[in-house]
C-alpha cells in the first residue's frame, strides 16, 4: 500500500477553491499510520489563520501515480447576485 500526504492549499476557510499538493509518501503495511502520525505536528506548525484555510489529508493510493493526484480538482460553484 502507498499513502500520500496531501496538502490542500485553499484561498479561504470555505475550502471551495483549493490546490492539492502531494508533500510526502509512505509505502508498506504501516504507511497510513505513519501518515496520520505526521499530520498533527504539521498542522500545529501552521499559523492559526492557515489552520482554518489549509489542511493535510492522508490518501491511500492503489493504482494512481502521484501526477494524477497532484492535479487541481475543480468544484462546481454557483454564485448568487
Amino acid at each position: 500500500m502507498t499513502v500520500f500526504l496531501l496538502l490542500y492549499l485553499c484561498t479561504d476557510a470555505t475550502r471551495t477553491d483549493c490546490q492539492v499538493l502531494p508533500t510526502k509518501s509512505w509505502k508498506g503495511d504501516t504507511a497510513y499510520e505513519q501518515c496520520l502520525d505526521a499530520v498533527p505536528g504539521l498542522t500545529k506548525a501552521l499559523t492559526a489563520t492557515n489552520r482554518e484555510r489549509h489542511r493535510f489529508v492522508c490518501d491511500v493510493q492503489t493504482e494512481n501515480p502521484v501526477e494524477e493526484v497532484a492535479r487541481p480538482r475543480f468544484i462546481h460553484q454557483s454564485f448568487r447576485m
Side-chain angles (χ1 to χ4, degrees):
M1 162 175 36
T2 301
V3 176
F4 288 100
L5 176 64
L6 304 177
L7 172 60
Y8 282 74
L9 293 173
C10 305
T11 56
D12 60 35
T14 63
R15 295 183 178 150
T16 57
D17 183 25
C18 303
Q19 180 179 7
V20 182
L21 301 173
T23 58
K24 191 168 181 173
S25 66
W26 294 267
K27 291 185 179 195
D29 295 338
T30 62
Y32 191 72
E33 290 78 12
Q34 291 174 349
C35 182
L36 289 178
D37 288 344
V39 171
L42 293 168
T43 302
K44 187 177 179 180
L46 295 172
T47 64
T49 301
N50 284 338
R51 270 185 234 127
E52 293 176 14
R53 293 180 182 171
H54 313 316
R55 64 182 170 153
F56 291 97
V57 176
C58 296
D59 189 33
V60 177
Q61 297 295 303
T62 53
E63 300 176 14
N64 298 335
V66 71
E67 291 82 9
E68 289 186 27
V69 174
R71 287 188 204 152
R73 296 179 185 161
F74 295 101
I75 298 171
H76 174 72
Q77 298 177 0
S78 63
F79 297 95
R80 296 180 184 176
M81 305 204 68

